[in-house]
Amino acid sequence: RGHIVIDKVTNPAQSAQSFDFTAGGTGYVNFSLTDAATPNDQEVLPGAYSVSEGAVAGWDSDGGICDLGETPASLDVGPGETVTCTFTNTQRGSITGHKYNDLNGNGSLDDLESAISEWVIL
């Protein structure tokens, strides 16, 4: 038998966000990982396999990088061989804005000042 080891890395590091995976070959296995979790170790019969990660809103994935020249979409595991794939996800930032009538001209939204609707901020 061989092994497929899946590791999760996040930026920022040690995120508690959970990521879903599917590993397939002679059968399909679904599992979830976080950056803090121990890597998932699947014991497999020698053969062809694939590993895919589900998309998570607000995160970008590198698609996974495996050792031994393998790619997650096409793994060939030999007898006694261990292939390790690392999936790295980076959390996207966000920018928000609002327009308001700055009645006193101090550059800050004060209690008596209200938002102005129907404006598009680019």
Side-chain angles (χ1 to χ4, degrees):
R1 293 188 178 258
H3 290 264
I4 300 172
V5 176
I6 308 301
D7 195 13
K8 168 52 56 198
V9 175
T10 60
N11 182 13
Q14 299 298 312
S15 170
Q17 175 66 51
S18 182
F19 297 86
D20 295 329
F21 289 87
T22 300
T26 56
Y28 284 89
V29 177
N30 297 311
F31 57 94
S32 295
L33 283 176
T34 66
D35 190 0
T38 301
N40 182 283
D41 186 345
Q42 298 286 325
E43 184 177 53
V44 296
L45 294 171
Y49 294 88
S50 66
V51 177
S52 62
E53 177 183 34
V56 174
W59 291 82
D60 292 322
S61 174
D62 70 354
I65 299 171
C66 304
D67 59 5
L68 305 177
E70 303 280 355
T71 65
S74 180
L75 301 172
D76 185 22
V77 181
E81 182 178 56
T82 298
V83 177
T84 300
C85 299
T86 302
F87 288 78
T88 302
N89 293 76
T90 302
Q91 187 174 29
R92 290 185 214 133
S94 64
I95 298 173
T96 59
H98 59 272
K99 185 165 184 76
Y100 61 95
N101 187 1
D102 189 8
L103 297 173
N104 61 7
N106 70 351
S108 296
L109 178 61
D110 299 312
D111 290 338
L112 297 178
E113 298 168 339
S114 59
I116 300 174
S117 61
E118 305 299 322
W119 281 79
V120 176
I121 299 174
L122 303 173

